[in-house]
C-alpha cells in the first residue's frame, strides 16, 4: 500500500505531484501513490516552481494522505501555515492563504518577478508548528533562437519556424505543420544547467484526433491526454528533438523547453513516470523514491528558465 499525494502539470510541468501552472505538459489526474510508502502519511508536501522572468508562483501546501484515502484539496490541503520566500540580497515575500481553495497560498505583493541566477529560500511553518524549508538557485535566462522543421532523415532544414517574440499569437498560424511530416528540432547555446524538461500541450480541447485510432474503444480514447512530459534530457550538443508521437490531436500546440535547476532535475530523473518514452533521457538510474531536496517534508521547490514555440498541427491528407 502506498501513500497518495496531490497530483495536478506546467508545467510546468511535478509529474508525481504535477504543478498546475507549469507544464507544462503533465496531467492533472496523475496518482503518485505508487511512489511513496505508508510512512509518508501526514508529511508536509510542497508544490512550488519558480520560472525566471515570471511572477512568483502560487504555492500548494498539503499533507500526504493515508493509502486508502482518495486525494482532494479538501482532504489534504494544509490551512493556517506561515509561508515566506526570501530572495538573496533582496525582498522577503510573505504568502497569504486563499479564502476559496484550501492549501493554496499567494504572494501578498503583486509584481514580484523571479530573477535569474538568484538564490531563493522557502520557509514554511504549519499551524501545528511543523517546519519545512527548501532552497533553489535559478538558472540564467534561456532563449531558443532556432526551432526547425528538418527533412525526414534530419540532414537538411526544410523550414525555420516562427517564434513568439517576433510573431506573437500568429506564431500558431505561421507554424502550420502536417503531422509527422519531417522532424522537429530546437537548437540553442546550451546554458550551464544539469538538464532540460519538455512539456507538450494541446490547446484546442475540442479538436479531433490527428491520427486514425479506430482500433481503440471509446474508453481508451477518452483516456488519451492532451499533454505530455519528457524525461530529463541532456541536450549536450545544444539540440533537442521533439517527437511527433507525443501528439494525438489536431490544432494548436504549445511546446515548452525548461532549463532546470538541480532540484527539478533530480525530481524528474528519479521519478518513474518521466523515465520512459522516446524523447531520450540522461537518467538511466533506478531510484527507490524521488529526490526531493526538501527539509521537513517532501515535494518540489525548484526553478527553471523556459522558452516555447507554438504549432498548428494538420492531419495528413
Amino acid at each position: 500500500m502506498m501513500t497518495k499525494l496531490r497530483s495536478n502539470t506546467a508545467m510546468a510541468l511535478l509529474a508525481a505531484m504535477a504543478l498546475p501552472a507549469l507544464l507544462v505538459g503533465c496531467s492533472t489526474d496523475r496518482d503518485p501513490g505508487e511512489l511513496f510508502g505508508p510512512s509518508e502519511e501526514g508529511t508536509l508536501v510542497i508544490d512550488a516552481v519558480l520560472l525566471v522572468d515570471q511572477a512568483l508562483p502560487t504555492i500548494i501546501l498539503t499533507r500526504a494522505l493515508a493509502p486508502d484515502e482518495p486525494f482532494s484539496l479538501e482532504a489534504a490541503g494544509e490551512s493556517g501555515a506561515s509561508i515566506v520566500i526570501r530572495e538573496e540580497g533582496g525582498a522577503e515575500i510573505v504568502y497569504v492563504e486563499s479564502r476559496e481553495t484550501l492549501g493554496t497560498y499567494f504572494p501578498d505583493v503583486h509584481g514580484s518577478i523571479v530573477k535569474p541566477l538568484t538564490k531563493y529560500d522557502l520557509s514554511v511553518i504549519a499551524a501545528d508548528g511543523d517546519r519545512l524549508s527548501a532552497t533553489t538557485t535559478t538558472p540564467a535566462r534561456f532563449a531558443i533562437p532556432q526551432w526547425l522543421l528538418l527533412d525526414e532523415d534530419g540532414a537538411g532544414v526544410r523550414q525555420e519556424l516562427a517564434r513568439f517574440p517576433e510573431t506573437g499569437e500568429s506564431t500558431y498560424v505561421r507554424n502550420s505543420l502536417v503531422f509527422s511530416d519531417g522532424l522537429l528540432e530546437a537548437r540553442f547555446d546550451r546554458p550551464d544547467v544539469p538538464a532540460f524538461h519538455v512539456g507538450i500541450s494541446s490547446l484546442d480541447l475540442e479538436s479531433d484526433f490527428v491520427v486514425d485510432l479506430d482500433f481503440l474503444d471509446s474508453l481508451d480514447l477518452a483516456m488519451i491526454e492532451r499533454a505530455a512530459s519528457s524525461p530529463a534530457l541532456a541536450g549536450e550538443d545544444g539540440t533537442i528533438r521533439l517527437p511527433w508521437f507525443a501528439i494525438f490531436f489536431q490544432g494548436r500546440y504549445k511546446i515548452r523547453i525548461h532549463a532546470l535547476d538541480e532540484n527539478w532535475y533530480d525530481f524528474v530523473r528519479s521519478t518513474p513516470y518521466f523515465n520512459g518514452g522516446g524523447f531520450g533521457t540522461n537518467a538511466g538510474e533506478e531510484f527507490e523514491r524521488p529526490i526531493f531536496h526538501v527539509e521537513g517534508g517532501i515535494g518540489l521547490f525548484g526553478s527553471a528558465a523556459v522558452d516555447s514555440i507554438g504549432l498548428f498541427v494538420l492531419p495528413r491528407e
Side-chain angles (χ1 to χ4, degrees), residues 267-309:
F267 182 85
V268 172
R269 73 188 180 95
S270 63
T271 302
Y273 167 71
F274 291 111
N275 293 316
F279 279 89
T281 176
N282 61 352
E285 299 151 279
E286 300 237 352
F287 296 86
E288 293 185 2
R289 72 197 299 272
I291 300 172
F292 292 120
H293 294 292
V294 175
E295 295 292 330
I298 57 178
L300 177 61
F301 179 67
S303 60
V306 61
D307 200 2
S308 61
I309 190 76

Side-chain angles (χ1 to χ4, degrees), residues 144-151 153-157 159-161 177 182-188 237-244 255 257 309 311:
I144 299 174
Q146 288 188 301
W147 301 81
L148 304 173
L149 178 66
L150 307 179
D151 294 335
D153 59 4
V157 176
Q159 179 183 344
E160 184 160 353
L161 302 180
L177 305 178
L183 303 174
L184 297 172
E185 185 171 271
R187 295 181 181 177
F188 47 87
D237 57 353
T239 65
I240 290 178
R241 190 68 57 82
L242 306 168
W244 282 109
I255 300 176
I257 299 181
I309 190 76
L311 308 176

Side-chain angles (χ1 to χ4, degrees), residues 249-268:
F249 299 92
Q250 302 176 33
R252 293 176 304 147
Y253 276 83
K254 178 170 278 190
I255 300 176
R256 300 175 178 89
I257 299 181
H258 296 77
L260 306 183
D261 79 330
E262 292 286 348
N263 295 359
W264 191 336
Y265 166 58
D266 278 344
F267 182 85
V268 172

Side-chain angles (χ1 to χ4, degrees), residues 60-138:
I60 307 297
L61 184 68
T62 58
R63 296 269 184 177
L65 300 177
D68 57 351
E69 186 172 359
F71 178 85
S72 68
L73 278 177
E74 290 76 15
E78 182 72 6
S79 182
S82 171
I83 300 179
V84 176
I85 291 181
R86 296 178 177 86
E87 176 190 309
E88 183 178 30
E92 179 176 285
I93 299 92
V94 176
Y95 273 69
V96 295
E97 187 171 3
S98 168
R99 296 180 179 180
E100 299 177 356
T101 308
L102 190 65
T104 303
Y105 295 77
F106 304 98
D108 67 347
V109 176
H110 296 291
S112 296
I113 303 300
V114 176
K115 297 177 181 178
L117 300 173
T118 302
K119 179 182 175 184
Y120 288 86
D121 295 313
L122 169 72
S123 174
V124 176
I125 304 176
D128 65 357
D130 286 353
R131 293 174 179 263
L132 178 151
S133 61
T135 297
T136 180
T137 298
T138 57

Side-chain angles (χ1 to χ4, degrees), residues 6-28 30 47-51 54 57-58 197-201 203 227-230 254-260 264 268 273-274 300 302-308:
R6 171 182 177 269
S7 175
N8 72 34
T9 226
M11 149 234 327
L13 227 173
L14 308 169
M17 292 168 288
L19 304 174
L22 178 69
L23 310 178
V24 237
C26 291
S27 168
T28 59
R30 297 290 178 193
D47 179 339
V49 166
L50 280 59
L51 297 179
Q54 297 190 24
T58 298
H197 191 205
V198 180
I200 300 177
S201 300
L203 304 182
S229 292
S230 74
K254 178 170 278 190
I255 300 176
R256 300 175 178 89
I257 299 181
H258 296 77
L260 306 183
W264 191 336
V268 172
Y273 167 71
F274 291 111
L300 177 61
S303 60
V306 61
D307 200 2
S308 61

